[in-house]
Amino acid sequence: EGSGGSGVRLRAFTRQSLRVVDDDAGDANSAAGAGAPVRGTSGAFWAATRCAVGPSNSGGGGVGCSAYVATGKAVYAVADLHGDDGTDLGGGSQQGYILGKEGVTLPVESPRAASLVPLRAFAHRHEVQSVALWDEAASARQFLASVDSTGSLCVCEFQGGGSGAEGPRRGLGLAPQRSYQGLPASCAAMEAGWAGVALGRSQPTKAVVARHFPKDLNVFDGDLRARTIRTIQNPTAIRVFDEETYLVAETNKLALYDLRVGEREVCVQYLQLNEMVACLAVGTEGMPGGLQVASGVGRTVALWDARKWNILKRFSGLRQEPCGLTFLKSKPEALCVASMNGEINILGYGNAASTANTSHSEERPLAQAPPQSHQRQRGKKKFHVHASLRGDSRWIGLCTQHAQAAASWPKTDRCICLGASGGLYTITI
């Protein structure tokens, strides 16, 4: 499970069923596992954007994390997440995961269901399509945003609520403080479909909502809609790129929008690709050579140099199209790729020579590269597969969070994955 050069190692892969716990229920009901089971809703088939995870400041030694999931019209906070008490971080290979055939890793079923606490501040009338989380390490503060199929935005601010919460709220170190909603232009008149949201890097009250069918970006400053930007094609993914700059996938194109300029010059970069771009990931922490971008294009994963917009490497060993991408926080030269067939691959890249499972299909170009791209062949990065994991359904949510697991493992990532069958998967790397 990994190469020694990069230090990427799979430690645990677990699955939990989901149950909704009423806010007014007593501790006895929570302990007995009472609550209705939850299944994921369909949503857009290409987007795994309905879960978010951030650090927990509950004072439990730095192991825990705050996780949020969305299914149907509701947004939930996850309590009793498996591994917050360290139970899935110290087991061996027989306890942490199951080795299947052909190198596929299967999850271990947790005996304890994850409790979902409904967040009443998120009042959506249509199916939630995406959630985004902004967290500040210096202070116990988080902003959680969600957007439904009409583009209606809900944002809630969380602050430290103490670690002594009883009943179903145990394990939730943050409590909701205030919330607000924002409506895009003609949200009721347009056809409902996929919508994505991205929060500002240093200003979480500034949110950008991308809508697929209306082909627009709505910029919100708090609950006030500041401006509307028309896109050239239908947006399929959105990520914050830099301060006041957002990266948007528009079907088979990549567009970079700078909100600091006027309406006519707001699109500062536009790249034509050959296939649909289903997902995006932007790496900012410890990236070698600066900011980097990963995108799912068709059945491949492309790694971009974000400064010159050249493709550094692509991986084409996926059985189906990717629906979710995320960089590992503590290991910047590795990323987690979720596919529509319920498979997750942990990929590493670099100039290392260990390329046992590296894809060799480099003939067909993914994009119309700039003229100087032929000069970068010498330093081309190579992908290698550290682990191949399998869930029981397609993914509708994927996110990652750096966690301080133990003194002997100073660098640990936890990927939280939400399946359409109603399973919450935790991957400890």
Side-chain angles (χ1 to χ4, degrees):
E1 273 70 28
S3 61
S6 59
V8 178
R9 177 185 174 188
L10 178 65
R11 304 191 184 276
F13 181 36
T14 58
R15 181 189 184 277
Q16 286 180 281
S17 58
L18 300 177
R19 289 187 177 272
V20 177
V21 179
D22 191 2
D23 287 336
D24 300 327
D27 186 66
N29 291 336
S30 177
V38 176
R39 295 183 62 88
T41 53
S42 57
F45 71 93
W46 68 80
T49 54
R50 281 185 279 173
C51 70
V53 62
S56 175
N57 298 309
S58 57
V63 178
C65 60
S66 301
Y68 307 93
V69 298
T71 177
K73 303 176 184 179
V75 180
Y76 305 92
V78 181
D80 299 329
L81 184 64
H82 191 66
D84 271 354
D85 53 0
T87 55
D88 69 339
L89 301 180
S93 60
Q94 296 181 355
Q95 297 180 1
Y97 50 86
I98 301 173
L99 291 177
K101 297 180 180 179
E102 299 180 355
V104 177
T105 304
L106 304 177
V108 173
E109 186 72 25
S110 174
R112 182 182 61 191
S115 301
L116 299 184
V117 180
L119 298 176
R120 309 299 183 187
F122 296 88
H124 289 285
R125 296 184 178 181
H126 299 81
E127 183 186 22
V128 178
Q129 296 294 316
S130 302
V131 296
L133 182 67
W134 181 95
D135 61 81
E136 189 176 32
S139 62
R141 192 170 63 134
Q142 291 180 348
F143 282 81
L144 180 66
S146 65
V147 62
D148 61 24
S149 57
T150 62
S152 300
L153 172 70
C154 292
V155 181
C156 184
E157 180 184 359
F158 295 83
Q159 293 184 359
S163 59
E166 298 293 335
R169 289 193 178 275
R170 71 182 189 275
L172 299 181
L174 300 175
Q177 297 296 318
R178 64 185 183 95
S179 63
Y180 54 87
Q181 300 181 3
L183 297 178
S186 63
C187 65
M190 291 294 183
E191 182 179 359
W194 178 85
V197 59
L199 298 178
R201 191 171 299 280
S202 61
Q203 188 179 356
T205 56
K206 176 171 286 187
V208 179
V209 174
R211 296 191 296 171
H212 181 74
F213 287 116
K215 295 196 293 187
D216 61 9
L217 304 177
N218 290 275
V219 183
F220 291 91
D221 189 358
D223 58 350
L224 177 64
R225 180 170 56 88
R227 62 189 296 191
T228 299
I229 302 171
R230 302 297 177 182
T231 60
I232 299 178
Q233 289 194 355
N234 304 79
T236 53
I238 182 172
R239 288 288 183 270
V240 57
F241 181 76
D242 207 347
E243 194 63 36
E244 297 289 336
T245 309
Y246 294 83
L247 184 65
V248 181
E250 300 179 10
T251 312
N252 62 337
K253 296 178 175 61
L254 275 180
L256 189 65
Y257 290 90
D258 191 346
L259 303 184
R260 294 168 294 189
V261 298
E263 187 72 24
R264 301 177 68 91
E265 299 87 9
V266 65
C267 184
V268 296
Q269 186 69 259
Y270 204 72
L271 299 176
Q272 174 73 43
L273 305 177
N274 293 334
E275 297 182 81
M276 173 180 173
V277 182
C279 49
L280 294 171
V282 178
T284 57
E285 300 179 5
M287 289 286 107
L291 208 63
Q292 289 187 356
V293 174
S295 62
V297 184
R299 294 189 181 184
T300 66
V301 176
L303 182 68
W304 298 78
D305 182 357
R307 300 305 180 186
K308 297 184 178 180
W309 292 106
N310 296 328
I311 294 180
L312 299 178
K313 180 60 185 175
R314 57 179 176 267
F315 175 81
S316 57
L318 302 177
R319 294 182 176 91
Q320 286 194 12
E321 290 82 356
C323 57
L325 285 173
T326 178
F327 285 94
L328 300 185
K329 302 294 184 179
S330 61
K331 305 168 185 65
E333 289 198 355
L335 55 95
C336 183
V337 183
S339 301
M340 295 180 186
N341 61 346
E343 189 177 36
I344 287 184
N345 290 287
I346 310 298
L347 303 180
Y349 58 91
N351 296 321
S354 60
T355 58
N357 294 324
T358 303
S359 171
H360 297 283
S361 57
E362 292 284 334
E363 298 81 13
R364 184 168 55 91
L366 285 177
Q368 298 175 354
Q372 69 272 20
S373 61
H374 67 277
Q375 301 177 0
R376 301 184 59 85
Q377 298 294 329
R378 180 180 302 177
K380 185 154 292 224
K381 297 177 181 294
K382 295 182 179 181
F383 275 113
H384 42 276
V385 181
H386 292 295
S388 180
L389 316 176
R390 179 61 63 91
D392 60 355
S393 61
R394 73 177 182 90
W395 304 110
I396 61 176
L398 172 67
C399 54
T400 185
Q401 171 60 38
H402 171 67
Q404 185 78 15
S408 58
W409 298 333
K411 294 183 178 180
T412 302
D413 284 283
R414 297 178 66 187
C415 295
I416 307 299
C417 312
L418 179 62
S421 64
L424 189 67
Y425 295 78
T426 303
I427 306 172
T428 307
I429 303 171

